[in-house]
Amino acid sequence: MSALNAQIPETGVALRRADRNQFDGLVNYLHQDVRVQEFGETTLQPVLLHDARKDSDLMLTLSTLLEHPMSRSAAAQELHLSRTALYSRIATIERLLGVDLNKGEDFFGLSLAVRSYYGA
């Protein structure tokens, strides 16, 4: 099996890596579930409220960061921000949500929340 597909020894369980289209399809399907919608809204509520109160665009910043997980420079460029301004926004997002975007678990959780909120 390739590195993307693997068999767990002695369990008979096969793992297969899902490509992005399959992941988006799954999130789109789950988006119809009110519990999934609630997860997205509840998780992102502090940022959504901040954007509404301050007329800011932290949700756009967060979404862009999630689209460029390996390059904050690319995210800054897409947002037309300096890296310093981007890092300031990241700090605000992390403070509001109580997360660390350098932690894989937090990054993944926010990725799911944003995708469930917008419907992949």
Side-chain angles (χ1 to χ4, degrees):
M1 291 190 167
S2 73
L4 300 178
N5 298 312
Q7 182 83 24
I8 299 176
E10 300 174 11
T11 65
V13 175
L15 300 177
R16 187 164 96 48
R17 181 178 177 188
D19 65 32
R20 184 175 174 100
N21 291 336
Q22 290 173 321
F23 182 67
D24 286 347
L26 176 62
V27 173
N28 267 335
Y29 175 75
L30 293 174
H31 178 70
Q32 305 307 313
D33 188 317
V34 232
R35 294 168 296 187
V36 173
Q37 292 171 7
E38 184 180 348
F39 164 74
E41 291 169 8
T42 302
T43 301
L44 301 171
Q45 185 177 33
V47 170
L48 295 167
L49 290 173
H50 183 276
D51 278 356
R53 288 183 188 139
K54 306 275 185 172
D55 194 30
S56 61
D57 55 0
L58 293 181
M59 276 301 297
L60 175 62
T61 302
L62 179 58
S63 296
T64 304
L65 281 169
L66 297 171
E67 288 298 316
H68 299 283
M70 302 302 290
S71 176
R72 293 198 172 168
S73 293
Q77 186 175 20
E78 185 173 320
L79 291 164
H80 305 288
L81 295 173
S82 68
R83 283 178 54 95
T84 303
L86 176 65
Y87 280 99
S88 175
R89 287 185 185 187
I90 291 170
T92 302
I93 291 167
E94 290 177 329
R95 179 181 52 78
L96 288 170
L97 298 178
V99 298
D100 180 349
L101 287 169
N102 292 314
K103 289 184 176 178
E105 184 176 312
D106 289 349
F107 193 92
F108 180 72
L110 286 178
S111 179
L112 285 176
V114 168
R115 288 171 185 275
S116 66
Y117 182 76
Y118 287 118

